[in-house]
Amino acid sequence: MTTGDGQQTSDDRSVIGTASANLAEAAVAIVKEPDLTAKTTLAKRTAKAWFTRQISLHGPGHKYSLPDTPGRPDKPELLPPRKMPKRSTAGERGRFALLHSLAHIELSAVDMTWDLIARFVSIGMPQLFYDNWVQVGLEEAKHFDLLRDRLGQLGGSYGDLPAHAGLWQAAQETKHDLLTRLAIVPLVLEARGLDVGPEMIKKLEKAEDQKSADILKIVYRDEKKHVAIGMYWFRFMCQRESRQIEQTFQTLVRKHFRSPIRPPFNEEARLECGMPPTFYKPLTAFGAPS
Ligand SMILES: [Fe+2]
Ligand SMILES: [Fe+2]
C-alpha cells in the first residue's frame, strides 16, 4: 500500500509485522532472520500480505542487499557432507536423524525461495511468477514447521544433530542468473526429492510412524507443485530467450551442478511435473552420449 507520492503507509508495516512494506524487502528480512520461529512466521505473514495485495512488489530503487549466508541460530552445527552421520530409518534414533536432515533441507528451501524472490525482483517477470514463488516460499515454511514440531513430539528439537553445510552452496552458485537457479534448485534438487520421497514414506509406515509419514506425504504433494512451477518458468524463460530447453538445462547442470544426476528416477512424478526423461537422463553420466 502506498500513498499518492509513493510513500509507504504505517498500515503496510503492521500487515507483515516488520518495517518491510514490499515483497522484496520482506523477502530479504526472511532470509536474514536468525530466529527460526520468526523466520517462518514472517514468511507466512508476507505471503498473506502479498496474496491479499496489501504490499507492492518492490520499493523505489529496486536494490536489495542479500546476505551471502542466511540468518541461522547457533545450532545445528554445519558439517561437510562426508562428516555427516549416516541417515537411516532403522530404529527411533535413525528416524529422528532422518527427520532432522529433512527439516534442514526444508529450512534451506525457505531461504533459497525467498532469496530467489528478492534477488530476481527486477528482471521483468509477470506477476504470476511472484505469485508462484511466494506460494512455494509459504509451503517451505510450513514444511519446516511441521518437521520441527515432529522433532519436538519425538522428544528432541531441530539443532540437536549436525546438519549438511552444502545446501546453501546451490544458492550461492546460482545467484548470478535466474535460469541457472531454476535449473539447479527446483529441477535438480527438488526433483530428487520426488525420487526418494515415496520410499521414505513407505519406510516410515513400515516402522509404524504414521505421523511422520503423513508429514512427508504433504511435503511430497507440495514438492511436485514446486518442480512443476520450476519447469513452467524454466520453459517460459527459454522460450523468451529463444533457447532450446533441454540443451540449455543440460548445459547449465553440467556447468553448475558438476556431478551426474543419480537414478533411480520417479519418472511418473517427474512427467506429471512436465519433465520428460529426455530432459534429465543424458545427465546420469557426464560425457556419455545422450
Ligand atoms: Fe519443501
Ligand atoms: Fe520445495
Side-chain angles (χ1 to χ4, degrees):
M1 193 186 303
T2 56
T3 58
D5 60 0
Q7 296 298 304
Q8 285 118 14
T9 68
S10 58
D11 282 356
D12 293 320
R13 294 182 247 297
S14 63
V15 168
I16 54 176
T18 71
S20 308
N22 60 65
L23 182 65
E25 259 183 40
V28 173
I30 293 164
V31 177
K32 284 184 175 170
E33 179 57 59
D35 180 295
L36 302 182
T37 300
K39 190 189 279 283
T40 57
T41 301
L42 189 53
K44 291 171 189 174
R45 285 185 185 159
T46 300
K48 189 174 178 194
W50 174 252
F51 286 122
T52 52
R53 305 297 183 222
Q54 293 179 69
I55 51 172
S56 56
L57 181 58
H58 50 62
H62 307 187
K63 287 276 177 217
Y64 302 98
S65 173
L66 279 153
D68 281 343
T69 52
R72 294 289 173 83
D74 294 339
K75 286 190 161 187
E77 181 189 6
L78 298 176
L79 294 178
R82 66 183 183 285
K83 291 201 171 170
M84 283 297 295
K86 197 165 162 24
R87 213 162 68 178
S88 156
T89 49
E92 240 170 79
R93 284 175 64 177
R95 277 206 313 282
F96 185 87
L98 170 71
L99 295 168
H100 193 281
S101 70
L102 294 175
H104 183 66
I105 289 170
E106 294 298 340
L107 178 61
S108 301
V110 173
D111 287 320
M112 280 201 259
T113 307
W114 293 99
D115 176 276
L116 179 154
I117 292 166
R119 197 172 288 281
F120 302 109
V121 77
S122 306
I123 62 164
M125 297 298 279
Q127 176 157 309
L128 180 63
F129 175 83
Y130 298 101
D131 284 353
N132 281 173
W133 290 107
V134 169
Q135 184 65 33
V136 173
L138 169 65
E139 288 171 357
E140 304 299 15
K142 287 181 179 174
H143 297 168
F144 176 69
D145 281 352
L146 283 168
L147 285 160
R148 187 172 55 162
D149 289 351
R150 184 69 189 132
L151 292 174
Q153 289 163 8
L154 294 171
S157 59
Y158 176 68
D160 284 354
L161 298 174
H164 195 305
L167 287 174
W168 188 251
Q169 278 169 10
Q172 282 300 98
E173 176 74 26
T174 61
K175 67 181 181 184
H176 64 290
D177 178 52
L178 176 58
L179 201 57
T180 310
R181 173 67 62 89
L182 293 175
I184 305 302
V185 178
L187 303 187
V188 172
L189 299 178
E190 293 196 286
R192 174 81 185 141
L194 301 186
D195 300 334
V196 297
E199 204 51 42
M200 283 183 193
I201 292 167
K202 266 191 223 157
K203 281 184 182 167
L204 289 168
E205 284 181 332
K206 206 171 159 199
E208 295 180 359
D209 184 353
Q210 195 56 45
K211 279 189 180 169
S212 300
D214 288 345
I215 292 170
L216 263 61
K217 283 180 188 173
I218 294 170
V219 170
Y220 178 73
R221 179 200 66 198
D222 289 344
E223 296 303 337
K224 261 172 140 175
K225 284 189 281 175
H226 302 176
V227 176
I229 287 170
M231 277 304 295
Y232 179 88
W233 290 108
F234 190 82
R235 280 182 196 282
F236 173 93
M237 291 197 66
C238 285
Q239 280 161 4
R240 189 162 84 168
E241 296 172 13
S242 302
R243 292 173 186 241
Q244 207 278 336
I245 294 167
E246 293 185 353
Q247 204 177 57
T248 302
F249 173 69
Q250 289 154 16
T251 303
L252 289 172
V253 173
R254 284 193 175 96
K255 188 168 175 200
H256 295 282
F257 190 62
R258 293 195 286 258
S259 67
I261 299 181
R262 289 199 312 272
F265 299 112
N266 185 342
E267 291 190 22
E268 197 183 324
R270 284 170 174 255
L271 201 55
E272 277 178 51
C273 300
M275 189 188 281
T278 49
F279 198 74
Y280 54 86
K281 283 210 169 159
L283 295 167
T284 51
F286 282 10
S290 54

